[in-house]
Amino acid sequence: MTTQEAASSEAGIPVVTLDPHGGDHHGEAARLRELGPVVRIKLPGDVMAWSVTDHALLNDMIADPRFSKDWRNWNAVLRGEISDGWPLIGMVKVTNMVTSDGQEHRRLRKLVTQTFTPRRVQELRPRIEQIVGELLDALPSHADADGNVDLRRHFAHPVPMRVICELFGVPEHERPRLKELMDNIFRSDLGPEEVTASQIEQYQLLARVVDNCRRNPGADLTSALIAARDEDPDSLSEEELVGTLLLMLSAGQETTLSLITNAVRALLTHPDQHALAERGDEAVWADVVEETLRWDAPIGNFPFRYPLEDVEIAGVRIAKGEAIMAPYSAVGRDRAQHGESADEFDITREQRKHLAFSHGPHFCLGAPLARLEAALAIPAVFKRYPELTLAVDPADLTPVPSLFSNSSATLPVRLEA
């Protein structure tokens, strides 16, 4: 395991160094749970933060208005300790609804909810089914000399990427580079120069997308956001418009990509659960999605909340302006919440309330779309290729180099026995 308990501790609270390469998310999460409900963590660059590993405590905290999502309330930022080249900066120092509170958060979120409606999501079903079918048809053409296909690269990734790019009007020629830049946001192993260059290019590319939609408005959501801004310029600044686009495009592909990958991997390594799913109806496949979100959350850790005053959690004092991480991998297998079988993948589980899409005012706007994409894509894979198997030992799968994203970087499969 790459997680190491630091030599020192603060006021009796263990200090744990998180692995920026994400080498063992669940081993790391188990270590955090073992150490207590509130643990001191060390991030890349020796930046200190906290982690709340108890489901009930985290559930309460993320809905508590005493905790801000605005990075401008972080002491380390105010002290000038967080540089623009910090490897986690793309998940923290951004201007959108995820990093805003109160009225500002409601203002930014309202503009998206007016266009990104449940009805709009459901209207995407035929197009998602078409994309899924096209990608499944093409899988054999991606097989290597041994007959193996990387299902993550050639299916799990392009499904949400194509859907979200079409939804927000990203031109075809911009998508390959956009994919790489969005992946970089979640990586935590990049050097300062690469981080800075990637951030600059992200905003340049998205500014081009906005400019194109402004000159050639269509039925996409970027055009709708631009129209809302033109109607009321005070409702959304240009920086907020680009920041919102960055959020929707990055979150709109990363969570679903890992969700599909993790669900297929879970079923291939749990044949009893796979058999139950195959015998079930659409509702059972929805259970597969929800159990994957709990047991193998696509986002293992999510930054940050900052107390607006000194607070106490489980008897631990956390000072105003300290950063607190939400460790979804840890709380997803919290036995106090999910019982003694919390470590087991069980699609028949009766109670599986999870926090994979957060909770409260910041509940993920894209959750309905992610659930729809996964619920269509996962059963379609097994229906089209009923003899699908993993092409490698599960222990040999390489994780995504991220302390945020929890998934394997590849998923080599054989389509036929």
Side-chain angles (χ1 to χ4, degrees):
M1 175 163 41
T2 55
T3 301
Q4 297 180 1
E5 188 171 334
S8 63
S9 64
E10 301 184 9
I13 304 298
V15 181
V16 174
T17 301
L18 298 191
D19 178 14
H21 303 284
D24 184 10
H25 268 276
H26 288 293
E28 187 169 80
R31 169 65 67 87
L32 291 171
R33 284 195 306 272
E34 290 168 5
L35 291 173
V38 180
V39 181
R40 197 75 162 128
I41 56 175
K42 184 184 291 185
L43 304 170
D46 293 335
V47 173
M48 302 303 297
W50 297 89
S51 184
V52 177
T53 66
D54 179 278
H55 175 102
L57 291 174
L58 184 64
N59 183 76
D60 291 343
M61 189 196 78
I62 60 182
D64 190 330
R66 293 179 302 160
F67 297 86
S68 171
K69 286 285 289 178
D70 190 340
W71 53 269
R72 298 167 187 84
N73 290 311
W74 188 8
N75 291 340
V77 170
L78 298 176
R79 292 191 297 258
E81 297 170 1
I82 306 299
S83 71
D84 288 342
W86 189 48
L88 312 187
I89 199 71
M91 291 285 287
V92 177
K93 199 174 178 181
V94 290
T95 302
N96 55 47
M97 71 185 79
V98 170
T99 58
S100 61
D101 302 313
Q103 183 58 38
E104 277 296 285
H105 174 255
R106 289 188 289 273
R107 176 178 65 86
L108 294 170
R109 189 178 177 100
K110 178 182 178 181
L111 291 170
V112 179
T113 56
Q114 288 175 341
T115 53
F116 194 42
T117 62
R119 178 180 176 181
R120 182 70 177 265
V121 170
Q122 285 303 316
E123 288 174 349
L124 293 171
R125 177 183 284 264
R127 179 57 181 149
I128 296 171
E129 291 175 334
Q130 182 181 8
I131 290 171
V132 165
E134 291 171 356
L135 292 170
L136 289 176
D137 288 344
L139 282 182
S141 68
H142 297 297
D144 62 19
D146 295 325
N148 301 337
V149 178
D150 183 355
L151 196 74
R152 177 184 172 93
R153 177 182 179 184
H154 298 295
F155 182 71
H157 207 157
V159 167
M161 194 67 181
R162 285 177 63 175
V163 171
I164 203 71
C165 283
E166 290 182 8
L167 187 60
F168 281 88
V170 179
E172 192 81 38
H173 70 276
E174 298 279 19
R175 296 178 189 178
R177 183 55 181 159
L178 178 67
K179 170 185 174 296
E180 296 170 354
L181 293 171
M182 296 299 99
D183 288 346
N184 285 350
I185 292 174
F186 295 88
R187 294 186 62 168
S188 47
D189 65 338
L190 301 179
E193 292 183 1
E194 190 171 0
V195 169
T196 301
S198 183
Q199 277 218 306
I200 292 171
E201 192 176 353
Q202 288 164 20
Y203 279 88
Q204 289 174 337
L205 192 155
L206 294 178
R208 292 197 300 271
V209 172
V210 170
D211 181 64
N212 179 68
C213 289
R214 182 172 279 126
R215 289 184 291 103
N216 305 288
D220 58 273
L221 297 191
T222 301
S223 295
L225 288 172
I226 292 169
R229 181 178 186 274
D230 291 344
E231 184 174 326
D232 181 9
D234 293 333
S235 67
L236 196 68
S237 70
E238 194 72 9
E239 181 183 10
E240 289 168 342
L241 175 60
V242 174
T244 297
L245 192 56
L246 175 65
L247 167 65
M248 301 305 292
L249 288 171
S250 59
Q253 57 92 19
E254 181 65 25
T255 300
T256 311
L257 151 66
S258 294
L259 173 56
I260 295 171
T261 301
N262 294 359
V264 172
R265 179 177 62 184
L267 291 173
L268 291 178
T269 54
H270 295 80
D272 58 327
Q273 300 298 304
H274 181 198
L276 287 174
E278 291 288 5
R279 291 197 295 269
D281 56 14
E282 186 174 329
V284 175
W285 287 102
D287 289 336
V288 170
V289 172
E290 296 307 310
E291 180 67 349
T292 303
L293 287 165
R294 179 201 72 83
W295 183 77
D296 206 9
I299 302 297
N301 298 292
F302 195 74
F304 287 121
R305 280 174 170 79
Y306 318 96
L308 296 174
E309 59 188 60
D310 292 353
V311 296
E312 187 174 292
I313 302 177
V316 177
R317 178 184 174 277
I318 300 179
K320 173 183 176 181
E322 292 286 297
I324 305 174
M325 183 87 82
Y328 295 140
S329 287
V331 300
R333 300 189 185 185
D334 179 6
R335 292 187 179 185
Q337 175 70 21
H338 300 291
E340 291 302 309
S341 65
D343 284 326
E344 298 175 12
F345 179 73
D346 179 6
I347 66 173
T348 68
R349 188 180 301 276
E350 291 185 6
Q351 197 288 108
R352 65 164 63 86
K353 179 185 177 182
H354 59 76
L355 297 173
F357 290 122
S358 192
H359 166 64
H362 283 274
F363 181 79
C364 178
L365 266 178
L369 178 58
R371 283 176 162 133
L372 177 61
E373 290 174 307
L376 294 175
I378 297 163
V381 172
F382 291 99
K383 182 177 181 180
R384 181 69 61 86
Y385 298 105
E387 298 180 341
L388 190 76
T389 57
L390 270 179
V392 297
D393 188 305
D396 293 333
L397 291 171
T398 303
V400 174
S402 172
L403 60 79
F404 301 124
S405 295
N406 166 47
S407 191
S408 55
T410 62
L411 190 67
V413 298
R414 293 190 180 91
L415 303 178
E416 299 178 356

